[in-house]
Amino acid sequence: MNRIIVDYKKLTPEILDLLVEKFPDGYGIRDVIKFINPKGKYVEAVEVRTDSTIYLVKISDELVDSMESHEEEDVLPPEIEDELKIDDVDLEIDL
C-alpha cells in the first residue's frame, strides 16, 4: 500500500471528500499522527485511506478552513431546504 504525505496546497477534491467523510465534526487530538519527515522536519497529519493508498494530510489552519468550507458547500441554503419540505408536504396531501 502506498503512503503519501499531502500538503494543503496539493489537496485534491477527492482527498478533501475523504477527510470530510471521515471527520464530519473535525478531527481530534487522537486522530493526529506525529512523525519526522524525510527532510527531518516534525509533521502532524491526519490519515485517510483508499483501497490502494494511505494519505497523511498535513495539519494546518488552511486545512481546517478547507474542510469547513467544503462541508458548507454540501449543505443546501435554508430557503431551498424549506421549499423542499413544503413540496414534500404538498405531495403527501395531493396523494
Side-chain angles (χ1 to χ4, degrees), residues 63-76:
L63 173 62
V64 174
D65 293 342
S66 291
M67 287 176 69
E68 288 174 355
S69 65
H70 184 72
E71 216 169 59
E72 290 170 5
E73 290 172 7
D74 293 340
V75 177
L76 293 174

